[in-house]
Every structure is written in C-alpha cells, then in structure tokens.
Amino acid sequence: MVRGSLIRAGIAAAVSFTLAVGLTPLSAGSARAEPVAGEVVIPASYVLAPRTELFSAGPSGFLRHESTLGYLWTSYAGVDTKLDGFAPDTSLVPGLGAGSDVIAELDHPRTVTLRDMATGRSRTVTIPVGHTYVSTLGSTVVTKAQDGSDGDYTWHLFDSHDDGSVSRRTVAGVPDGVVVPGEAEAPLGDARGQVVQYRENNTFRTGFLDVAQGRLIPLPYTNWIGNGGVVVLTSTHLLWTRDGTVFVHSRDDLTATPRTVPLPGDAQVLGMVGETLVVGRHDPSLGPRNFLEPVWRVEAVGLDGRTVRTLLARTMGLAMPTPDGRLLVQGGPDTDRWGVSLVEAAAGGDVTIRKIAEAYPQKIQTVSGLTFTQGRLTTLDDNAAQSRRYLHTREIGVTGSLTIGPRTARGPAPASCDTTACPDLHDTGDGRTVVSGLSYGRTDDDRQPHLLAPNQPMPGTRIDSSRTYHSVAAVGGRFAALTTAGDTGTATRVVDLDTGKAVFTTTAGVEALWGTTLWVRDGNNAVAPVDVLTGQRGAQVWFGQGCLLEDLQAVGRWLLWTCVGSASGQGVYDTVKRTNLRLVSGDDWSRAKLGDGFVASEVDGQLKVTDVRDGTPRSHTAGAFASWRPWDVDPYTGVIAHLGADDGIHLVPSGVPVSPLAQLDATVATSAHVKDATGHWSPKWWLSKPAVSWTLVIRSQTSGAVVRTLSGGLTRGMVATAWNGKDDRRRVMPNGTYTWTLTATPADGQGAALTRSGTVRLSHECHIGDRPQLVVIRCS
C-alpha cells in the first residue's frame, strides 16, 4: 500500500496471467440512498486556540482582535464594543492608533478615519499623493514621502484638531541621505512619538520621532530591530534586548547610556511596570519556541535580573503598554481560561496582575490526517495550544460491531509539520507505518523514510542508511518500495523491512505493492506485475489507446485505474477473470479509493460505494461525505473512515463482504538450530484480513504425535510466533523433522479458516564429554 497522499495502492496476488480481453465499457447500476447499517462515529475532538492580538491602548480602553469576533474596543472594566465594519487595510502596530482612545482605519489609500472611542466622534485625514501611511500617534497621522529631486525621504505629521481641521508639519532633523525609511516592527509608538528605523547612506539607524517637537532624534544604537531584538516603548522607558541583556533607556533622555539588566535563557522583554521588568519566558514543555503560540509564561523580573515570580502560566505574542504605565498581557493558567490581564505597580516596587477581560479562543477540530488499515485507525491531530501535531492510534473492533478502542499516543510530528509540510504516513498492513516526506525533520537523516513499529512513537527508525531516498512509491507487509533520484536517473529499491536489505530493484515507475508483487509501469497506458522475491514478470495489463495512466491502486485481485488524456476515465480491472469494468468515461471522475471488491468515491456530497465483484457495478450511498477532508478505505475489513462535516470520524461498513482469509506473504524457515533451547524457529505469515485466533500445531514427522501447540488471539495482518525446540511439557525435543500446521480463523466470520502446513528440521548443539558434537538436520 502507498500512503503518500492517502491513496491506497495494491496488487493482485498472482503474477502469471495473460490479458485476453479489451476494455469494455459497462453502465453503472442503480443507486440506493439508504445508509449502510453499523456506522459508528468517533465524536469530534476540539481544542481552544487563543488568537488574541493587542493593537493599541488608551486611557479608557484598548483595541484588540479576536478571530471569532473581529475587532473589539474593550474598556478596563472588561466591556466589549464590537467594531462592526472596521476593516483596516493595515494591521501594523501602531498603524491602528497608539497611546490614546483614537483608533485609525486606513479605509482608502488616501483616507484615514480617526474614531475617538471615548467621545464617539470621527474625523478624517486625507493623505496627499506621493505619501505613504505609516502610523497614527494620538490624533496625529504620520506619513513618509520623498522630498525633492535627490530622492531623500522624510516624515510628515498631519495633526487632526477637534474642530475637524488638519494641520501639516514636516519632521525636522532628518539627516541628508535617508533613502529607505523603515516602519516600526513592534508596538513602538504612543501619543508622544514613535521609534523608527531608517537607512542613512547605506547605514542602518534608529531614531525617535518626537511628535511634540516635530523632530527626529537620532539614537546612539543601530539595527537592533532587524537583528533579532525585541523592542518595547512604555510611557517611561524604551527597552530592547540583545544576547541575554535588556537595555533600559529612560524616555527623559533616550540618548543617554542605558541601564542593563541580565536576562538569561530563552526570554523576551514584554514591558516595564514601575521598577519591574515583565518578560515572557519560553516553556519547552508547552511546545516548540514560537512567539505567536501560547508556549510562554509571564514573569516579573527585578532590575537586578533576579526573577521575582511567575505572573501567568501561559502567554503569547506581544504585550501592550498603557499610557499610565501599566501593561496589558494576554494569557491564563491554560488555553481554556484565556483572557486579557493588567499588570500594575504595587507598594514596595512589586507588581500585581488581574484579569480584566475574557478572550475568545478559536475552536478548532483536531484531526488533520488519518489512515485506516486492518482495523487500526491512525490520526494526525492538532494541538493548537502547543502549535504541534501528534500521532495517535486506535484499534477498531473487527469481530462484529465497530467498537472503538482507547487512543494511544505516538508522539509529536516534526516541528516543521503544518498544513503544507507534514510527513506522509504509509501503513504496511501488519501494524507498522512507514513515515516519509521531504519535509520530515531538518537533517538529511531525518528526511529519509523511517519505520514505526506498532505503537512506537515518532520519529521511528531509519529504514535504509545506505541510500538517500527521494520518495516512498509503495509499501505493503514487510516491503517498502523506496525511490532514489540522481544524475543517472530514477530507480526504486524494494527493501525488506525485517532485514533492511533490498530484494528487488527496478528503473520502471512503481505504482503499487501487495504481498510479494509489485505493479510497475509498462509504457504510459499499461502496467505489469513483478514478483519481488523471484523477479518473475507477469503479463501486461493494458488500459487502452489514448490512456495516460494517472493513478493505480490495487487490493487483492482488483486494480483501480484512472486515466487522463484522450481516453480519460476510471475503472476496475479483475486480474482473475481478466476483465475490465469502466466506471466513468471522460474527465468527470472523482477521487476514489479501492477496497476489496468495491470502489468508494464522493458524488454530490455523498459517500458512494460501488460493488464490482460480479462484473456489474452496483452502487449505494453510505451517508453524507465532506469534501476534501481526510478519509481512507480499509481493504482488509471493508470499512471506510472519513472526517465528517460534524468533525467526527465516521466509520462506515462498505456493505461488501471482503474475500476469504488468505496468505499474502510468509517467511517460514525450513530449518532451525537451537542451542540449549535458547534459539528459536520464528515463522511469520502475513494475512489478507484480521484473524480472531490462530493455532500452530507441531508434530513429530515420525510418529505423528503432537509435541507443541502454539496459539494466539486476535491478530491484525500478521501471525508471528516462535518455537524454542521444546514440547508442551518443556522437554527438549530430539533432532529431527517436524511437521507444522497453521490454522487462522477470520475475525469477520466470513469464509473458511486459513490453513497452511510444512516441515521444519530441528537441530541442537550438544556436548559429549569435552568434545562438542553438532548434529545438523535440514528441513525437507
């Protein structure tokens, strides 16, 4: 099977067959609308993801944005006013206003609307042609423009007055040669001024744009904004950090030598209240470092660098200083109890914190991907509170009703995993998963295919360290088809996952793998089967003139093909009857997945199941189907899993019985050598569907007497056991030939039990006196 894009691939078990019929279009059967009985739903799982953004603060309240409600003006008493119709063209701070109750809306490239939230009055400022909007500081609109023919820039101040008039000032003190002014990259403004960054004769500078004086004051430090530093402007101080040190400048004289405070560890300054620094410190237990995720805690730090105490267990993003010296921070004890709090000075130089407003975290369903194989449901789940995705596995009942087992945690996906860069999951059908993807990890080793054992946490074990692989073409049972790409072309190596060795290599494009058979391309419109253990190639399967094969999936005897080109369409090929059934002609085919004797697809928002076992398609619908959400078909059980519009995982029986229990592959040694009964004969059989129980009976070939009976309960995809050469009474059996018989009973109760038999020759290493005597007995 291949899981690269949750497309199931497979092959027929037989490799020696010939194609005797052409493509014969057949009409689809009648549809029935009733849902399939037996569906169960795993209820939706949600997390609350804080999405609060703080933009400005004035004497009476502050401006914030909540993803679920939009822009809000919130008083310090916690009363929200929703700003209907407020849709500014900029979300820069202080582009929406700073240091007052005035908020700014750039609702036209040339018009800024100033809304006074304290009085309810609005005014407009028109920006001249050639000017670019920068910010709003109190009631002053700041622009930048080139002045004169030399191309130098300067800033302009447009002061809005209570009578509606606007006066204009050009900022004085701007040096010659300023060619690229930079806007603030943090909340660096208030009603008194703004910190700006600019380039003077190719040298980066910083300065303070003083609104009252209408003048730029150059500052004696340079490009700290763009050099990883965090800068905060409070009513009393300018703070910035670099290399574990906070530089504290008094606003009485921003050019004077700053005070320095050590801030070791992974911390960022958020503000200053009284004589106490307020910092955010990364907590690795909450998730990877990301300033915009709730993986930080708020701490109060004295000016000697000593941590005073933790104020909030979790926070994210930037804080917002108020005009009266307090500090707004978002956060809470956890993401379910998020809000906006106010840090205030207290007696003795301490600070207090109190929650003043509720926040409105976004409700997010967690499942972002799933696979379903042998009744094992594996999901990739979002944990927005930690900005990570985690792998989980559930076992679903396969002996009757679809019971839902507990969820087993498999560890976090790579930190790079987001909506576009998550690893691909390829279930092997025996409980293991191949993890692949160029986005996986950060090192060359981590980007390579890894193998997860059943319930093993990520990232797993690298499959083959001898090669650099480009992609995973297909997986199934003990094999993974891994593709390399280099200067000499593309090749695919089929690697035995148990031994780590390649058993077959091909330069043909690999389409699918099932059991020991690989389906490879044979031109643009045909495929051929190859046994990976013997290299034997079967007869070509041709899909017709004008077909450009787009996709091939296989399960058991069935091949699901999709063609584009002049003969585009979709259909199923039966490798036993050697007949082809065209389901769709033309380009109107939908994404489909192949089961054992059926095809699942989406049609007009419904899950459509088409039974193809007897050569005539018979379709029925199996409930609503949400487009472009994760889904998968388990070909071993005939159950379909899909994420519904209700955000629950729907498990839907196809209504098409799967084929009788069969052996897909086996590794059964014909001889076993044990030393003091410490060695083992360790056979394995891969099965086409779950077995509810199995029994392995070992007999003496000479007498026919039973010497050992091994048994087990429910198994999904593989029977694996071991014999140490002892009988049921723990006596060491003599050297010789023994017969074995395996019996496996299908878990779904459909079809006869599977039986397999053979012989194994047992040998022991014995000691006669001081001379070791090795008796080697080979299997027949």
Side-chain angles (χ1 to χ4, degrees):
M1 293 165 292
V2 62
R3 292 286 193 178
S5 56
L6 295 180
I7 295 176
R8 176 82 60 174
I11 63 171
V15 297
S16 299
F17 59 83
T18 57
L19 179 60
V21 297
L23 297 176
T24 306
L26 297 174
S27 60
S30 60
R32 57 184 176 88
E34 64 270 17
V36 176
E39 174 182 356
V40 298
V41 179
I42 300 174
S45 176
Y46 296 100
V47 292
L48 292 178
R51 294 291 183 264
T52 301
E53 294 178 275
L54 301 173
F55 284 105
S56 70
S60 70
F62 57 95
L63 177 65
R64 60 172 166 155
H65 183 270
E66 298 283 353
S67 60
T68 55
L69 294 176
Y71 286 94
L72 302 174
W73 179 263
T74 304
S75 71
Y76 294 109
V79 178
D80 291 326
T81 300
K82 193 173 186 303
L83 303 180
D84 294 325
F86 185 71
D89 286 347
T90 180
S91 61
L92 295 175
V93 177
L96 300 183
S100 75
D101 292 329
V102 174
I103 62 174
E105 181 178 12
L106 181 65
D107 50 13
H108 184 276
R110 307 263 73 84
T111 303
V112 181
T113 299
L114 305 180
R115 302 171 61 174
D116 191 323
M117 300 305 297
T119 65
R121 291 195 295 261
S122 294
R123 290 168 279 176
T124 61
V125 174
T126 301
I127 299 176
V129 175
H131 287 236
T132 300
Y133 177 73
V134 174
S135 62
T136 295
L137 310 176
S139 297
T140 298
V141 172
V142 182
T143 68
K144 62 183 181 182
Q146 284 182 306
D147 292 340
S149 59
D150 56 5
D152 292 354
Y153 279 80
T154 192
W155 289 268
H156 299 264
L157 308 177
F158 293 83
D159 300 307
S160 174
H161 305 290
D162 290 340
D163 60 3
S165 63
V166 177
S167 59
R168 172 177 171 178
R169 294 179 287 160
T170 298
V171 174
V174 179
D176 293 337
V178 172
V179 294
V180 182
E183 296 105 354
E185 299 182 28
L188 302 180
D190 57 21
R192 295 162 54 194
Q194 177 178 350
V195 176
V196 294
Q197 184 179 23
Y198 56 94
R199 195 169 68 199
E200 178 188 358
N201 297 323
N202 295 322
T203 299
F204 281 101
R205 305 287 188 191
T206 56
F208 183 74
L209 198 160
D210 190 303
V211 171
Q213 299 183 45
R215 174 175 294 277
L216 177 69
I217 302 173
L219 301 178
Y221 31 89
T222 55
N223 187 31
W224 35 259
I225 296 179
N227 196 34
V230 173
V231 189
V232 176
L233 185 69
T234 76
S235 61
T236 56
H237 293 84
L238 173 66
L239 315 169
W240 58 283
T241 59
R242 178 186 288 170
D243 299 331
T245 300
V246 182
F247 297 83
V248 182
H249 298 261
S250 171
R251 288 187 67 171
D252 293 337
D253 184 1
L254 291 175
T255 64
T257 301
R259 181 174 182 174
T260 60
V261 179
L263 188 64
D266 196 350
Q268 302 282 13
V269 64
L270 298 177
M272 185 173 176
V273 176
E275 293 297 305
T276 300
L277 294 179
V278 181
V279 305
R281 189 176 302 277
H282 177 227
D283 186 343
S285 68
L286 301 177
R289 186 184 189 276
N290 186 329
F291 200 60
L292 300 180
E293 296 295 340
V295 294
W296 304 76
R297 61 179 181 268
V298 180
E299 295 181 344
V301 178
L303 293 184
D304 58 356
R306 180 177 57 88
T307 298
V308 176
R309 59 191 173 92
T310 297
L311 300 177
L312 275 179
R314 305 188 75 164
T315 189
M316 60 183 282
L318 299 170
M320 178 59 60
T322 67
D324 58 2
R326 299 180 293 178
L327 184 69
L328 292 164
V329 295
Q330 59 166 307
D334 50 51
T335 55
D336 292 341
R337 292 175 287 175
W338 208 255
V340 179
S341 296
L342 195 61
V343 181
E344 302 170 292
D350 198 2
V351 295
T352 62
I353 186 169
R354 59 186 175 95
K355 186 176 180 179
I356 61 171
E358 295 292 337
Y360 306 93
Q362 184 178 4
K363 187 178 181 181
I364 298 176
Q365 69 87 12
T366 63
V367 179
S368 58
L370 63 83
T371 63
F372 194 37
T373 309
Q374 292 273 12
R376 285 173 55 90
L377 177 67
T378 298
T379 57
L380 198 60
D381 301 309
D382 292 332
N383 186 329
Q386 295 189 11
S387 187
R388 292 294 295 270
R389 285 181 171 144
Y390 286 76
L391 197 68
H392 296 91
T393 298
R394 291 181 178 91
E395 291 194 349
I396 308 301
V398 293
T399 59
S401 61
L402 297 175
T403 56
I404 301 170
R407 193 174 72 162
T408 300
R410 307 283 301 279
S416 61
C417 177
D418 55 26
T419 56
T420 58
C422 286
D424 296 327
L425 306 177
H426 316 259
D427 288 344
T428 64
D430 59 14
R432 295 179 289 183
T433 303
V434 173
V435 182
S436 71
L438 294 178
S439 62
Y440 185 75
R442 297 183 177 181
T443 68
D444 289 339
D445 178 76
D446 286 340
R447 281 192 291 265
Q448 296 306 299
H450 284 61
L451 181 65
L452 287 176
N455 299 327
Q456 180 185 6
M458 299 277 264
T461 305
R462 183 166 173 175
I463 294 174
D464 179 10
S465 300
S466 68
R467 299 286 191 283
T468 297
Y469 291 102
H470 180 266
S471 61
V472 175
V475 303
R478 58 175 164 141
F479 299 116
L482 310 177
T483 300
T484 61
D487 296 337
T488 58
T490 299
T492 299
R493 303 174 82 237
V494 179
V495 177
D496 187 324
L497 298 175
D498 290 341
T499 66
K501 297 180 180 179
V503 297
F504 181 77
T505 301
T506 180
T507 57
V510 170
E511 294 294 328
L513 173 65
W514 183 270
T516 64
T517 308
L518 193 73
W519 284 97
V520 299
R521 281 199 179 239
D522 194 1
N524 290 329
N525 56 5
V527 292
V530 180
D531 189 296
V532 298
L533 296 178
T534 65
Q536 180 183 357
R537 186 182 181 95
Q540 180 194 74
V541 176
W542 183 59
F543 300 112
Q545 190 67 34
C547 165
L548 179 60
L549 189 62
E550 172 76 5
D551 181 46
L552 183 80
Q553 302 173 45
V555 173
R557 63 192 282 182
W558 316 101
L559 299 178
L560 173 63
W561 53 266
T562 302
C563 290
V564 296
S566 60
S568 61
Q570 195 172 64
V572 174
Y573 183 82
D574 185 336
T575 62
V576 174
K577 294 182 179 179
R578 295 176 292 182
T579 57
N580 192 75
L581 178 63
R582 181 179 286 267
L583 300 176
V584 178
S585 294
D587 296 330
D588 194 26
W589 46 266
S590 61
R591 57 181 184 142
K593 294 180 186 290
L594 181 64
D596 186 0
F598 70 91
V599 175
S601 60
E602 176 200 359
V603 177
D604 298 328
Q606 295 290 311
L607 175 61
K608 179 182 177 182
V609 178
T610 302
D611 186 340
V612 297
R613 291 174 298 165
D614 62 2
T616 299
R618 292 181 172 82
S619 300
H620 66 270
T621 58
F625 189 87
S627 299
W628 303 112
R629 287 197 158 201
W631 72 300
D632 201 8
V633 172
D634 186 351
Y636 303 96
T637 66
V639 178
I640 302 158
H642 68 93
L643 186 65
D646 59 357
D647 296 328
I649 300 176
H650 293 244
L651 302 172
V652 185
S654 66
V656 179
V658 297
S659 301
L661 184 60
Q663 174 185 303
L664 300 180
D665 185 19
T667 55
V668 183
T670 56
S671 64
H673 174 66
V674 295
K675 178 181 179 181
D676 298 327
T678 59
H680 292 89
W681 176 58
S682 303
K684 294 180 182 179
W685 297 267
W686 281 265
L687 307 180
S688 63
K689 62 180 179 180
V692 69
S693 63
W694 59 270
T695 302
L696 180 66
V697 178
I698 302 172
R699 300 173 182 267
S700 168
Q701 188 180 49
T702 303
S703 66
V706 175
V707 299
R708 187 68 183 271
T709 299
L710 302 168
S711 62
L714 178 66
T715 183
R716 300 169 187 263
M718 182 177 66
V719 171
T721 188
W723 181 41
N724 61 2
K726 295 181 179 181
D727 68 3
D728 289 330
R729 298 168 66 180
R730 298 185 178 181
R731 297 176 300 184
V732 176
M733 290 293 94
N735 297 333
T737 301
Y738 295 83
T739 64
W740 58 264
T741 301
L742 172 72
T743 303
T745 303
D748 60 3
Q750 300 293 320
L754 170 71
T755 59
R756 287 292 185 270
S757 60
T759 61
V760 58
R761 289 188 63 85
L762 180 70
S763 64
H764 295 273
E765 183 177 291
C766 311
H767 292 274
I768 302 176
D770 295 329
R771 296 179 57 194
Q773 179 180 358
L774 178 64
V775 181
V776 179
I777 307 174
R778 298 193 177 277
C779 303
S780 59

